[in-house]
Amino acid sequence: ITDLTSSTASLRLRDDIEADWSDRRVRYRLPLELVLDNFFNGDVDITLEIRFAVHHDGDASELEVTIGHDSDANFHFLEDVLSFGSSAIVAKTVRKMLPLLLDCITSRMEEVIVRQLVGFIEPLLATQRLLRVDVVSAGNLSHLSLVLCPRSDGPSVSGTEPLDGGRAIG
């Protein structure tokens, strides 16, 4: 987002980014401002919600990261009046375009997050299996907890791997 706002002169942060960490997801609220030449500045609010899931197939694990987005663009009521309704048309156009742009941005973000997480735990994946990624909310020290378990040498009697001996790495 910092790269997006610094390279695009028409978008800038109008306030601090808010982060909300809770079980299984991280939500970011991005209060942006649409800066237009010779026109009023509009508010563009974007919310990104990042979710983590691990899917198991035998002894293999697949990490899934999904980023959902929601956005809104608007101008102050007085700006609508002073622009004779033009700002409402601008806001409507931005609202239609934002989902298309955010789809591209979020798919790239998903790839980057997965690559960074796998790069971090890759040395462990030779002997460990990723069981779960948890979002741990702890005030200013919120973090991701990766739950790993030693790989089995062979199939267990019940057909599932034992969970004892697993460990969490934060």
Side-chain angles (χ1 to χ4, degrees):
I1 296 302
T2 303
D3 290 344
L4 174 69
T5 57
S6 65
S7 64
T8 307
S10 299
L11 278 179
R12 67 178 173 213
L13 282 169
R14 69 174 193 274
D15 205 353
D16 292 334
I17 296 174
E18 296 176 15
D20 172 26
W21 292 63
S22 66
D23 188 34
R24 296 271 178 225
R25 64 130 180 95
V26 180
R27 181 179 294 145
Y28 292 100
R29 185 180 158 282
L30 311 165
L32 301 172
E33 185 174 37
L34 180 64
V35 182
L36 301 171
D37 290 337
N38 302 318
F39 201 73
F40 302 106
N41 293 345
D43 293 341
V44 178
D45 295 317
I46 298 174
T47 302
L48 299 175
E49 187 170 282
I50 306 170
R51 293 187 176 271
F52 301 90
V54 179
H55 303 286
H56 307 288
D57 183 18
D59 204 31
S61 300
E62 179 181 307
L63 173 63
E64 178 186 353
V65 175
T66 54
I67 301 179
H69 56 79
D70 187 22
S71 60
D72 187 31
N74 60 50
F75 289 83
H76 190 274
F77 170 74
L78 292 177
E79 294 169 343
D80 284 338
V81 172
L82 291 173
S83 69
F84 300 106
S86 297
S87 62
I89 294 169
V90 171
K92 184 178 178 181
T93 304
V94 171
R95 279 195 293 270
K96 286 184 178 181
M97 291 175 46
L98 271 176
L100 301 172
L101 296 171
L102 289 173
D103 282 344
C104 296
I105 292 169
T106 56
S107 65
R108 286 189 308 205
M109 288 173 71
E110 289 169 355
E111 292 172 19
V112 168
I113 291 170
V114 169
R115 220 174 321 139
Q116 287 180 350
L117 275 175
V118 169
F120 173 73
I121 62 171
E122 195 166 29
L124 299 170
L125 293 179
T127 58
Q128 307 282 322
R129 186 171 89 139
L130 181 63
L131 293 181
R132 197 170 68 227
V133 176
D134 292 328
V135 177
V136 179
S137 177
N140 290 337
L141 300 174
S142 299
H143 61 278
L144 297 179
S145 172
L146 307 175
V147 180
L148 300 162
C149 181
R151 292 189 183 273
S152 65
D153 294 335
S156 63
V157 176
S158 65
T160 61
E161 289 190 69
L163 293 180
D164 57 14
R167 59 187 174 136
I169 297 178

